[in-house]
C-alpha cells in the first residue's frame, strides 16, 4: 500500500531495554523526520534526514539513534529506554515540492 | 533555536461559532504550515503559506501569513463537531530549511 507506515502501533518496554521503532514510506520522498508528542510540548523534532545516509539532530535527540541506509526506511532506536521516553512517536516524510505527510504514530510506554 | 508558540492552548466552543488561533515566533519564517490532528491519528496538512501577507482559504478555514513573517493566524468559520482536534502550526527553520519544526498546538473542542 502506498503511504507512510509505522510499526509497531503500540509498544510496552522495560527501562534499560533497547527498542526500535520502524518507519517505511513508499513515495521515495527525500526527507524523513521523527517527532515525539507529549502533552504541553506539541510535536518536538528528534532527528531528521535529507536523504539516504544523511541524518541530523533535531530539538530533542538525546537518548535516540537513527539510521537511513535506504531512502524508504528511517528507524528510530532508543538504546536504553527511560521512563521519560514514554510518548507518542510520529514519523513523517516529504519531498522538495511537497509538505510533510505523517504516519499514524507509535505509542510507546516505558515501565 | 527557533520556536513556535501557539495560543490559545485549548478552546471549548459551541457548534456554529467562529474560531481564531495564532502562532508566533521570535524569529522569521519563510513558510507557515497549518496541520490538524484528529484523535488517535497523525497530523494532516490543512493550509500552506509561502508569502508574507498571503491569505489562503480551504473551505471554512482561512490562514494568513503575517506581514512581519513572525506570526500566522488560522480562522475556522461556523465550527462543526468534526473540527475537534489539535491544530499545529509548523515551518522550516530559517538557518536549516530541511529542519521542520512544530508549535505546541491548540486543542479544539466543539460542543453541539
Amino acid at each position: 500500500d502506498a503511504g507512510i507506515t509505522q510499526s509497531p502501533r503500540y509498544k510496552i518496554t522495560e527501562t534499560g531495554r533497547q527498542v526500535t521503532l520502524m518507519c517505511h514510506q513508499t513515495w521515495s520522498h527525500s526527507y524523513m523526520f521523527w517527532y515525539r508528542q507529549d502533552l504541553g510540548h506539541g510535536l518536538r523534532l528528534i532527528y531528521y534526514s535529507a536523504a539516504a545516509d544523511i541524518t541530523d539532530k533535531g530539538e530533542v535527540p538525546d537518548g535516540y539513534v537513527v539510521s537511513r541506509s535506504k531512502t524508504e526506511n528511517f528507524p528510530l532506536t532508543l538504546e536504553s529506554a527511560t521512563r521519560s521516553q514514554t510518548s507518542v512517536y510520529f514519523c513523517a516524510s516529504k519531498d522538495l515540492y511537497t509538505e510533510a505527510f505523517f504516519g499514524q504514530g507509535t505509542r510507546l510506554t516505558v515501565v | 533555536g527557533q520556536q513556535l508558540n501557539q495560543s490559545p492552548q485549548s478552546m471549548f466552543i459551541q457548534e456554529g461559532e467562529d474560531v481564531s488561533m495564532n502562532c508566533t515566533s521570535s524569529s522569521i519564517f519563510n513558510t507557515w504550515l497549518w496541520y490538524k490532528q484528529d484523535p488517535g491519528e497523525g497530523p494532516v496538512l490543512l493550509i500552506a503559506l509561502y508569502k508574507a501577507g498571503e491569505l489562503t482559504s480551504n473551505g471554512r478555514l482561512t490562514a494568513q501569513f503575517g506581514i512581519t513573517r513572525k506570526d500566522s493566524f488560522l480562522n475556522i468559520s461556523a465550527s462543526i463537531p468534526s473540527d475537534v482536534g489539535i491544530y499545529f502550526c509548523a515551518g522550516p527553520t530559517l538557518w536549516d530549511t530541511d529542519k521542520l519544526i512544530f508549535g505546541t498546538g491548540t486543542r479544539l473542542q466543539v460542543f453541539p
Side-chain angles (χ1 to χ4, degrees):
Chain A
D1 285 30
I4 181 166
T5 53
Q6 294 183 234
S7 60
R9 289 294 311 276
Y10 302 91
K11 176 78 177 176
I12 300 175
T13 192
E14 293 178 336
T15 301
R17 288 200 182 258
Q18 183 181 83
V19 60
T20 296
L21 310 184
M22 304 302 292
C23 180
H24 175 76
Q25 51 106 354
T26 61
W27 294 303
S28 299
H29 282 170
S30 301
Y31 300 90
M32 295 188 76
F33 307 84
W34 274 107
Y35 295 87
R36 60 177 290 174
Q37 183 175 20
D38 306 288
L39 204 61
H41 292 281
L43 288 163
R44 291 183 290 176
L45 183 63
I46 304 171
Y47 270 95
Y48 61 108
S49 167
D53 298 321
I54 301 175
T55 62
D56 220 332
K57 294 179 180 179
E59 302 162 285
V60 288
D62 293 344
Y64 302 95
V65 173
V66 292
S67 62
R68 190 144 177 232
S69 57
K70 291 184 178 181
T71 299
E72 60 267 28
N73 296 324
F74 192 38
L76 176 74
T77 298
L78 288 67
E79 293 192 299
S80 178
T82 65
R83 288 187 182 150
S84 65
Q85 292 177 309
T86 291
S87 186
V88 181
Y89 291 85
F90 286 99
C91 177
S93 73
K94 72 181 290 291
D95 217 337
L96 196 58
Y97 300 109
T98 70
E99 301 304 340
F101 292 87
F102 280 79
Q104 289 195 294
T106 295
R107 184 175 292 274
L108 176 68
T109 303
V110 183
V111 298
Chain B
Q2 289 182 282
Q3 289 185 318
L4 293 171
N5 301 302
Q6 290 186 244
S7 65
Q9 269 192 318
S10 58
M11 306 180 76
F12 298 84
I13 62 167
Q14 200 100 33
E15 184 176 355
E17 287 183 5
D18 295 343
V19 170
S20 186
M21 60 188 78
N22 66 48
C23 185
T24 60
S25 175
S26 57
S27 48
I28 64 173
F29 277 76
N30 289 323
T31 296
W32 286 95
L33 307 169
W34 284 93
Y35 280 79
K36 183 195 176 199
Q37 182 182 29
D38 288 330
E41 301 291 328
V44 173
L45 181 69
L46 296 174
I47 293 178
L49 303 159
Y50 301 107
K51 191 176 169 183
E54 182 180 354
L55 187 72
T56 297
S57 292
N58 178 5
R60 293 178 296 106
L61 277 60
T62 301
Q64 184 159 26
F65 192 138
I67 292 289
T68 65
R69 294 201 284 164
K70 291 183 179 181
D71 56 12
S72 179
F73 305 87
L74 177 69
N75 296 312
I76 305 172
S77 61
S79 58
I80 58 179
S82 62
D83 290 333
V84 164
I86 305 176
Y87 292 80
F88 291 102
C89 62
T93 63
L94 193 60
W95 306 116
D96 180 356
T97 55
D98 292 343
K99 188 174 177 182
L100 181 64
I101 63 171
F102 280 71
T104 47
T106 292
R107 184 180 295 268
L108 179 65
Q109 189 66 257
V110 180
F111 295 102

